[in-house]
Amino acid sequence: MDVVSERQLMSRAAWLYYLGGLTQEEVSARLGVTRARVNKLLQQARAEGVVSVTIDHRELGLLPTEEALARAFKLDLCICTPPLGLPEGGTEGALAEFPRRAVGAAAARFLRERLAERPDLVIGTGWGRTLEQMTLHVAGLSAPLARFVSLMGSLTANSAFNPFEVVQALARSTGGQGWFLPVPFIADSPADKEILMSQRTVAEALRLARGADLALVSVGELTERSLLRRSEMISSRELEELRRSGAVGDTNGIFFNAEGHPVSHGLNVRTLAVGFDDLRRSFTVLLAAGAEKEEATLALLRSGLAKGLIVDGDTAIRLVRRVT
């Protein structure tokens, strides 16, 4: 069976089960495959974003937490996913994916609602595994007038959380336009950055990104386990230098201190990304998932950069304890 027919079979199984209301046994009989195969197809449909599940978060008891965070940081929007009872120190393996999946699904729902209100939005996106999860939950969303643009240059490694891939996944799923900055994430020198930023195609994409109606960004921690280090976008030496300069995290490759202000470091001079002043002009929504992001999330919220927050329930509860 070729790839196309396999995907069609998966979509048909998902439609019959989730929308048609058939049992797995009935789907099996209708498609002429085993029940075990149907189960696998349904799991695959969820994993690939062909099927997305939404739950009304406001029926899950975290409204007081959302309101407390919105009040503390003057947010126009705060969405908390259900708490899972995960440990404060963070988790490894499969458990570490749960907060990212939950926040990604909530972000996709928020995006659907915004595009329903205004189909021609210009939407800037950052990078990371939480944004990757969001792209997997926009199946069936049609928004041909929307424009998605990367807020930063691309990583050298080809991965689903690369800024270019995030933009392309959203454009492909919705039928909208995808724009990206055709430059590296970090330039070799300030002079190289100036040359790259002066290119016509870069300037056009950057102009669109700086004027984005909605900006969806994630936050990164500064540890050896962080995605920046594991992707080898920064070295161990640079990590230590950033810490000594007071940095506690980054968003879009811009490193900031405990008050959410960019630190004085060479990497911030060489990063090719939309700056904090431009992000403040957009309706910027911060996606934060995982206990390891707590310090960086708190710092960025203090800066007033974000007008919205979508955060996993466990982290949200700990944030409230620290600000109330």
Side-chain angles (χ1 to χ4, degrees):
M1 181 176 295
D2 59 33
V3 175
V4 174
S5 59
E6 175 72 11
R7 190 171 181 82
Q8 287 177 338
L9 184 64
M10 176 179 63
S11 298
R12 290 170 183 171
W15 194 96
L16 290 170
Y17 182 75
Y18 290 105
L19 296 181
L22 275 61
T23 65
Q24 290 191 20
E25 186 172 347
E26 290 170 333
V27 174
S28 169
R30 179 73 67 87
L31 296 180
V33 298
T34 66
R35 184 172 176 179
R37 181 75 186 286
V38 169
N39 185 269
K40 184 177 180 181
L41 288 168
L42 294 175
Q43 291 180 6
Q44 185 179 356
R46 289 285 300 277
E48 295 187 10
V50 173
V51 171
S52 61
V53 177
T54 59
I55 301 173
D56 189 347
H57 68 281
R58 297 198 177 269
E59 299 297 329
L60 296 175
L62 280 187
L63 181 58
T65 301
E66 294 173 348
E67 294 301 315
L69 288 173
R71 188 166 52 252
F73 299 108
K74 298 180 173 58
L75 300 172
D76 296 325
L77 165 82
C78 184
I79 299 172
C80 302
T81 67
L84 301 173
L86 298 177
E88 292 191 18
T91 58
E92 292 287 342
L95 280 178
E97 286 296 318
F98 290 169
R100 289 193 284 268
R101 289 175 181 171
V103 172
R109 177 183 175 181
F110 165 72
L111 182 58
R112 287 174 182 274
E113 292 171 350
R114 281 302 171 103
L115 283 170
E117 295 171 0
R118 186 179 161 189
D120 63 344
L121 280 176
V122 175
I123 301 164
T125 65
W127 74 299
R129 291 168 293 186
T130 306
L131 279 161
E132 175 200 356
Q133 285 296 321
M134 182 188 74
T135 68
L136 298 177
H137 288 84
V138 292
L141 171 60
S142 178
L145 299 179
R147 286 177 288 175
F148 300 93
V149 58
S150 175
L151 296 170
M152 55 187 288
S154 292
L155 283 66
T156 53
N158 184 24
S159 56
F161 49 76
N162 193 316
F164 170 80
E165 296 297 338
V166 170
V167 165
Q168 291 304 300
L170 289 169
R172 185 168 53 249
S173 295
T174 63
Q177 294 182 25
W179 295 64
F180 69 98
L181 295 180
V183 290
F185 176 43
I186 300 174
D188 290 338
S189 69
D192 287 344
K193 175 182 175 178
E194 289 302 316
I195 293 172
L196 290 168
M197 296 289 261
S198 68
Q199 302 300 305
R200 183 178 57 81
T201 55
V202 177
E204 290 176 356
L206 193 59
R207 186 163 46 250
L208 187 65
R210 285 173 170 162
D213 303 302
L214 171 65
L216 301 171
V217 302
S218 60
V219 62
E221 73 280 17
L222 282 182
T223 68
E224 284 292 342
R225 294 191 305 170
S226 67
L227 196 55
L228 275 176
R229 275 294 298 125
R230 284 193 280 183
S231 300
E232 297 185 343
M233 296 307 299
I234 63 173
S235 66
S236 291
R237 178 181 58 79
E238 289 170 328
L239 177 64
E240 290 304 316
E241 289 175 353
L242 285 163
R243 286 172 172 169
R244 286 196 296 270
S245 72
V248 298
D250 86 285
T251 187
N252 289 1
I254 301 174
F255 301 91
F256 53 82
N257 60 21
E259 297 303 315
H261 303 309
V263 299
S264 178
H265 188 277
L267 284 175
N268 274 351
V269 178
R270 295 189 284 119
T271 298
L272 288 87
V274 169
F276 278 19
D277 289 342
D278 293 310
L279 289 175
R280 285 191 177 91
R281 285 191 284 269
S282 298
F283 190 94
T284 296
V285 178
L286 173 61
L287 312 186
E292 66 278 8
K293 307 295 181 70
E294 183 179 336
E295 291 296 332
T297 299
L298 180 60
L300 203 55
L301 288 173
R302 285 172 176 155
S303 75
L305 176 74
K307 295 182 177 67
L309 172 68
I310 303 177
V311 58
D312 70 275
D314 295 295
T315 300
I317 290 170
R318 289 192 296 271
L319 288 172
V320 168
R321 289 174 186 157
R322 297 180 62 169
V323 299
T324 58

